Structure formats: C-alpha cells, structure tokens
Amino acid sequence: MKQKIEYDNLIPINAYLWCPKPYPQPLHFHSSLEIGYCREGRGKFIFENKLYEVRKGDVFIVNNTELHIAQSAEHDPSRYIFLNFDPSLFLEEDEKLLLPFAYRSERFENHIAAGTPLAQQIGVLIQQIYEELNAKSEGYLTIARCKLLELGVTLLRHYRSGFSNEQWVKMSNSQREIKEMLLFVKERFQEPLQLTDVAAHLDWSTARTSRFFKEHTGSSFITYITQLRISEAKKQLVTNLESIADISFSSGFQSLASFYRAFNSDVGMSPQEYRKQFGVKQLF
DNA sequence: ACGTCTATCTTGGAAGATCC
DNA sequence: GGATCTTCCAAGATAGACGT
C-alpha cells in the first residue's frame, strides 16, 4: 500500500513521534525517505523479506521503494521519532547524499545498531530536528534543513568507508545521471514532456529510462510528472485568479479531461473546490 | 544490464451535463 | 452564457515479461 505524505512545513520534511501498534499492521511504502530512531521500548521492524528486533537507540533507514512497518512489543511498546523528507532536499545539495538510501546497492543497510557511535550521532541529530520543527523559533527551517544535511553527510561518510575508489566513482556517476534526469524533468514538466523526450535527452531507450526512473524515484515517470503538475496547479489555484482551464494548461496538462481526472484522484476534490477552500479570497 | 515486444493503461479531443 | 466538470473512446504511451 502506497502511503501519501503531506508535509507540515514549508520545506518537505516532517518529524513526529510514533508508537507502533503491538499487533501486525499492513506493510506500506511512500515516496519520501524515512529515518526512524527508537527512543524507548522494544519491538520489531519488518521489511518485505527482513525482520529486525528493535531496542532503544536503534536507527532504521527506509527508502522510497521498500515495503515496511514497525511493530511494538506487547508489554514494552516502542516509541520512535520518525523523519520523513523528500529526496529533492538531498538531490539539490549533493546527489551523493542519496547513496546510503539506494536499495540496489549491495551495501544498503536498513538497521544501524543501538550503541554504535553512528547510531548515537544520528539519534542526537534526529532529536534536534524534531525539537526545532516543533518549537518553530525564528529560523527553525534553516536549522532543520542544515541538521538534516549533516545527518545525510554522516550517513554518507560511514557508507563511503566500505567501498574502493573505483566502486565509489562508478556509483557517483550513476547518481549524477539520476540528478540530470530529475532536473531535466523538473525544468520541463510544464511543457508536453514525455518519457521518450527524457530518453532522447539521455540517449537511452525508453524501456531503460522507464526502469531507471522507477528504480530511483519509487514512482513511474507518469506518476512523478503528474505530481509535479498537480503541485504547480495547486500553487497557482491558491495564488492567482486565472481560469482553471488556463492553470491546467500552464501547469503542463495537455487537456482539461486529464487535469480534472488527475486532480480529483490525487486531491480528492475538484480544482474549484480546492480554490474555494485554500484560495486567495480566503486569505484576505 | 539492456533491447524488443506487447498487453494494459493513460491521454486528449469531442460532446454533453451541470453549475453559477 | 460562460466556466466547470464528466464521460466516452480511439490513439498513443508506458511498464513489465522475456530474450540475449
């Protein structure tokens, strides 16, 4: 089951406390990356084909493709701080920060054991990000973003130590291709962009591009670009008074039928209702 | 890891209904 | 009466199975 993540902050990052249920729940995944820090209690962390016993101080890394769920022990419930954030936060800073989350790497690790210096370091950073995002003092988003990047670098340095220079160069190149692909899409989503255009840009076959896209973003090309277009349309609906048809086309949709279909299925209401609820007139 | 093939899914245009 | 929204369907795009 794919879970939809809404971010509570102006940058795409959430930090929240979570106490998993003491009985089995369905596995889920989401397009955000996730890091969970167990502050107390015991339990299990379940992935598709892996199961970890959890104790206080454990850290779990979850990428945007893997099905997972946490479960508490019956008489000693586990309590976590979870961070959810959009991969773009790392991608825009340094694409290599995403490597420790790359599932296809043979060194991908879900679990960082309690008591290790790495788990302790990450635990402190997660706690600080959580406190910043909750206190909302002046400049809290900047601090939260910086601490998240620090967390990313900490993971990256640990991860880097396990590779030869040759392996590392190869992986870094692959990461650069992902960045190039996503930036190409981000710059052109308001045009009638198709998968074949991205493939032509990279000089790849469409099948290869399609696979690569899904593998690295967790979404298909069409889902990814539709999300960008809907976000753009939402932004325009609440900030200007252009007709819905104009907004649809300037967001990158090629027909009104596609726009209404996509908007309704993603947002759960019509564009007009959305504008009524969150639009400019409501703000003044 | 990558290309080819193809079943399935999605889109865009048209027509029409509904809303304001 | 214009703007918004839905439905239908042919055409085109995409994802995944399969082969190398």
Side-chain angles (χ1 to χ4, degrees), chain A residues 32-210:
Chain A
S32 65
L33 301 178
E34 186 170 82
I35 305 177
Y37 170 60
C38 179
R39 290 213 297 189
E40 54 185 87
R42 305 182 81 84
K44 299 175 195 165
F45 214 112
I46 303 153
F47 295 87
E48 281 159 79
N49 49 5
K50 292 168 276 183
L51 187 150
Y52 299 95
E53 293 295 331
V54 180
R55 64 186 176 113
K56 181 181 171 181
D58 277 337
V59 172
F60 287 91
I61 307 290
V62 185
N63 71 15
N64 51 1
T65 61
E66 205 173 19
L67 285 162
H68 62 279
I69 192 71
Q71 186 180 329
S72 282
E74 209 169 331
H75 302 299
D76 186 10
S78 48
R79 291 176 201 281
Y80 291 84
I81 300 177
F82 272 109
L83 287 187
N84 275 103
F85 57 97
D86 194 274
S88 64
L89 283 174
F90 280 178
L91 192 71
E92 282 157 15
E93 180 65 27
D94 177 352
E95 67 275 6
K96 288 202 289 293
L97 294 175
L98 290 173
L99 281 172
F101 293 86
Y103 187 45
R104 68 174 184 165
S105 155
E106 66 280 8
R107 284 206 68 245
F108 178 73
E109 288 176 86
N110 287 116
H111 178 224
I112 300 170
T116 60
L118 182 64
Q120 281 166 3
Q121 250 178 304
I122 291 174
V124 168
L125 285 165
I126 289 178
Q127 178 78 35
Q128 289 172 342
I129 293 169
Y130 172 73
E131 283 165 10
E132 282 294 335
L133 289 177
N134 275 278
K136 298 194 189 312
S137 306
E138 192 61 37
Y140 72 100
L141 287 175
T142 309
I143 295 273
R145 187 173 165 280
C146 290
K147 298 245 175 236
L148 181 69
L149 291 175
E150 185 181 344
L151 198 162
V153 173
T154 306
L155 276 174
L156 180 68
R157 285 181 179 172
H158 164 73
Y159 189 72
R160 167 70 180 90
S161 62
F163 292 96
S164 69
N165 282 340
E166 195 186 337
Q167 285 174 312
W168 192 249
V169 167
K170 205 173 156 193
M171 288 170 71
S172 302
N173 286 342
S174 165
Q175 245 359 63
R176 240 193 316 279
E177 287 171 338
I178 297 163
K179 184 173 188 176
E180 187 181 342
M181 181 176 74
L182 294 183
L183 285 181
F184 183 76
V185 175
K186 207 170 176 181
E187 277 168 13
R188 287 159 210 258
F189 73 90
Q190 285 160 288
E191 302 165 19
L193 185 71
Q194 287 162 2
L195 184 64
T196 45
D197 301 318
V198 184
H201 175 70
L202 296 168
D203 201 18
W204 288 357
S205 71
T206 48
R208 182 181 171 193
T209 313
S210 170

Side-chain angles (χ1 to χ4, degrees), chain A residues 196-224:
Chain A
T196 45
D197 301 318
V198 184
H201 175 70
L202 296 168
D203 201 18
W204 288 357
S205 71
T206 48
R208 182 181 171 193
T209 313
S210 170
R211 270 194 296 267
F212 191 81
F213 207 96
K214 182 117 195 212
E215 197 175 328
H216 289 92
T217 66
S219 314
S220 67
F221 170 76
I222 203 74
T223 309
Y224 186 87

